[in-house]
Amino acid sequence: MLIREFLDELEKIAPLSLQENYDNSGVQVDGPNVNLSNVLVSLDPTPQALKMAVANECQLVLTHHPLLFEGIKYLTTKNTTGDMIYTAIMNGITIYAAHTNYDSAAGGLNDVLSKKLKMFNVTPLVPNTFGDDSGIGRVGEIKPMDIREFARFVKNVLESRMVRLAAVGPHEVRRVAICSGSGSEFIEKALEAKADVYVTGDVTYHKIIKAVEAGLSLIIVEHDESEKFFESEMVRFAESFGIKAIKYHENFYTYL
């Protein structure tokens, strides 16, 4: 299977038309359209990920977060981005990002997360305009449980060392809204969906206060903790075509 054929299959699942306006999903560095035998999958495009790809003779690096968010005026190996572009080109490696298009896709990252949280009757939190099951975030039902019990359940599912709970007092959770990654801008949508609790990342102190005052409990997770399942899902996707996939997850912080 050629690289472009593989990416065409991926874009059937997560069409680039689903990405947000600010995003830059898709090809970041376009390498030779050769037969794909080895792919490296990582949440983030980092120098370490690219080095591993080179060492393992990968023709494709598949990431969630894009390497390029903004335009660049010149290339130089004196900065990280320029050096990665140079390294990819010199080693014939394509770099591709499946970001908000995969977040929104039916069967994509938010659906993966909702299944892990045992949600049912799931619909998009913010439906797109295409009239299908894709859209930003998800909202659905769970088996009723206490808010603290649910927070511990989320922590265990994400295999996280820590989650933050901002609860509207003791209460039962039945209706859950989620958004992988950074979803603080959709707190109002979670309220409109009549969710008991909203699970997302990157929520600031003042937004926490406003959400709780409005009657919405929050379970706040680290940005990458809700997105790391991208790596395993993409490994499975590549292996379904008989392609060897290497998962590389880089931790940028630790808990003290």
Side-chain angles (χ1 to χ4, degrees):
M1 172 178 275
L2 296 175
I3 289 178
R4 187 62 255 178
E5 292 173 333
F6 175 79
L7 296 179
D8 286 344
E9 292 298 320
L10 178 55
E11 289 175 8
K12 290 178 183 178
I13 296 172
L16 293 178
S17 58
L18 292 180
Q19 69 178 307
E20 296 298 298
N21 292 334
Y22 65 82
D23 199 13
N24 187 39
S25 293
V27 173
Q28 310 289 294
V29 177
D30 197 9
N33 188 29
V34 296
N35 282 317
L36 180 59
S37 58
N38 299 325
V39 56
L40 182 132
V41 178
S42 183
L43 192 62
D44 295 283
T46 66
Q48 291 76 15
L50 190 54
K51 287 177 183 177
M52 181 170 286
V54 172
N56 287 275
E57 299 182 341
C58 295
Q59 299 86 27
L60 174 66
V61 172
L62 177 56
T63 67
H64 187 47
H65 297 132
L67 174 64
L68 303 171
F69 261 119
E70 300 176 352
I72 54 176
K73 295 184 177 179
Y74 63 93
L75 287 174
T76 175
T77 57
K78 293 181 180 179
N79 63 51
T80 301
T81 301
D83 190 55
M84 288 182 65
I85 293 171
Y86 177 82
T87 300
I89 291 172
M90 292 302 294
N91 288 275
I93 294 174
T94 295
I95 301 177
Y96 185 96
H99 191 212
T100 56
N101 56 319
Y102 186 64
D103 287 334
S104 293
L109 191 53
N110 278 282
D111 278 329
V112 171
L113 187 57
S114 66
K115 287 179 181 178
K116 289 183 178 294
L117 294 179
K118 300 188 184 304
M119 294 166 60
F120 55 91
N121 296 331
V122 176
T123 58
L125 180 62
V126 187
N128 67 31
T129 59
F130 298 107
D132 58 14
D133 294 328
S134 61
I136 298 170
R138 296 292 184 269
V139 60
E141 313 295 324
I142 63 165
K143 180 181 177 181
M145 67 177 76
D146 175 76
I147 181 63
R148 288 185 174 274
E149 181 186 357
F150 182 65
R152 288 190 289 268
F153 173 66
V154 171
K155 181 182 178 218
N156 289 336
V157 167
L158 299 184
E159 300 176 348
S160 176
R161 287 183 58 185
M162 180 189 73
V163 300
R164 288 188 290 162
L165 171 63
V168 185
H171 67 92
E172 188 177 70
V173 174
R174 292 175 178 268
R175 189 162 174 80
V176 176
I178 63 170
C179 183
S180 61
S182 178
S184 64
E185 64 187 289
F186 304 114
I187 287 174
E188 287 296 328
K189 294 295 183 181
L191 283 163
E192 291 173 11
K194 302 186 183 304
D196 300 312
V197 62
Y198 182 36
V199 182
T200 192
D202 296 345
V203 185
T204 62
Y205 177 79
H206 294 291
K207 286 188 176 182
I208 293 172
I209 293 174
K210 288 183 178 180
V212 173
E213 287 178 344
L216 178 66
S217 292
L218 298 176
I219 296 175
I220 304 158
V221 303
E222 296 288 0
H223 185 105
D224 60 319
E225 291 286 6
S226 63
E227 295 184 323
K228 61 188 178 184
F229 305 111
F230 168 86
E231 295 166 346
S232 297
E233 292 299 313
M234 289 297 102
V235 165
R236 278 194 284 271
F237 181 74
E239 289 178 344
S240 71
F241 295 98
I243 297 165
K244 180 181 178 181
I246 300 167
K247 182 171 75 171
Y248 175 73
H249 185 78
E250 192 164 343
N251 291 313
F252 297 96
Y253 56 86
T254 187
Y255 297 102
L256 299 177

